[in-house]
Amino acid sequence: MEKILIIIWIVGCCGEFLVPFILSSRIKNYSHLRTVMSAIGSKENGIVGILYSVWLILFGVIVVCISYSIRDFSSIGTYKAAIIILGVYGIGCVICGIFPVNNTKEMITVSAKIHGYVAAITFLMLMFVPLLLKKALYANGINGLAIGSNFVFVGSLVLFVLQILSEREQFVGTILGNTGLWQRLYLGVIYVYISFVLYNISTNI
């Protein structure tokens, strides 16, 4: 696999956190700890929301392209399933960019409902990518990363559960209520893991 694709992936992943950080500075009372990144794309945020939506679509295209480029690294069925999930996640990012949320947590509009359901499903699926890649990593002698896949799965599972719990009213105002933090950590863990996988793929082909 071309090294340039790894660079594009890493730049894209960094952008996933830097773009919301930069754009949110234009939104009054936005909290990186409490608020999910998708809230920036709300239509109520005007040009800032549009810019974030455009970014989300661009990142989704990057993920789809990366997925397609590494589809033939292994013929193992679980590997193929992992790549499909990664591609679906990229498509989900594009859909979420096209259909932004509203400013409130309630899914009032059709756009917000589409965004909410797509985000929830693709986030859940993304968690299983490390487990599905494990067999292919072992088969290619990348044992350290294969073992680490178990820890990445457990860590992402915990963070996913924390994100769900943070939405409950009784946790608002507590450390568990930091929805934005759990979302960023969840994505960060998986993105870093996939970066290592891409690097190892590039050195083994």
Side-chain angles (χ1 to χ4, degrees):
M1 186 182 68
E2 296 291 336
K3 294 289 195 301
I4 187 64
L5 292 178
I6 301 177
I7 296 174
I8 293 174
W9 167 261
I10 293 175
V11 170
C13 290
C14 291
E16 266 283 79
F17 302 100
L18 287 176
V19 171
F21 180 79
I22 295 171
L23 292 179
S24 63
S25 63
R26 310 280 301 191
I27 302 175
K28 187 177 181 181
N29 299 324
Y30 181 89
S31 170
H32 295 281
L33 291 177
R34 302 284 179 182
T35 313
V36 295
M37 293 183 286
S38 59
I40 300 172
S42 171
K43 292 180 179 179
E44 288 87 342
N45 293 329
I47 186 62
V48 171
I50 294 174
L51 290 175
Y52 182 73
S53 293
V54 170
W55 161 252
L56 203 53
I57 293 171
L58 176 61
F59 180 71
V61 172
I62 291 174
V63 175
V64 171
C65 290
I66 294 292
S67 303
Y68 182 78
S69 69
I70 61 173
R71 68 193 185 284
D72 295 327
F73 170 64
S74 173
S75 60
I76 295 175
T78 51
Y79 176 83
K80 297 292 187 182
I83 299 308
I84 290 173
I85 288 176
L86 189 59
V88 169
Y89 174 71
I91 294 172
C93 289
V94 173
I95 294 174
C96 287
I98 296 173
F99 299 98
V101 297
N102 38 263
N103 264 341
T104 63
K105 289 186 176 181
E106 291 76 21
M107 294 190 291
I108 300 174
T109 64
V110 173
S111 178
K113 289 178 181 178
I114 293 174
H115 184 110
Y117 290 130
V118 170
I121 293 171
T122 54
F123 263 51
L124 177 61
M125 293 173 65
L126 193 63
M127 183 198 315
F128 294 96
V129 167
L131 287 183
L132 293 170
L133 288 177
K134 183 171 64 172
K135 186 176 180 180
L137 292 172
Y138 272 126
N140 286 274
I142 313 174
N143 299 330
L145 191 55
I147 295 172
S149 299
N150 298 308
F151 296 100
V152 174
F153 170 72
V154 173
S156 57
L157 174 61
V158 171
L159 291 169
F160 185 80
V161 171
L162 286 172
Q163 188 176 343
I164 293 175
L165 290 177
S166 68
E167 298 285 352
R168 298 186 177 231
E169 187 175 346
Q170 62 264 40
F171 296 125
V172 174
T174 70
I175 189 171
L176 286 178
N178 290 325
T179 310
L181 174 63
W182 307 134
Q183 181 200 42
R184 287 165 172 81
L185 288 176
Y186 174 84
L187 292 176
V189 166
I190 296 179
Y191 288 167
V192 169
Y193 167 80
I194 293 177
S195 296
F196 278 107
V197 171
L198 291 177
Y199 173 76
N200 280 277
I201 287 177
S202 70
T203 57
N204 279 274
I205 291 182

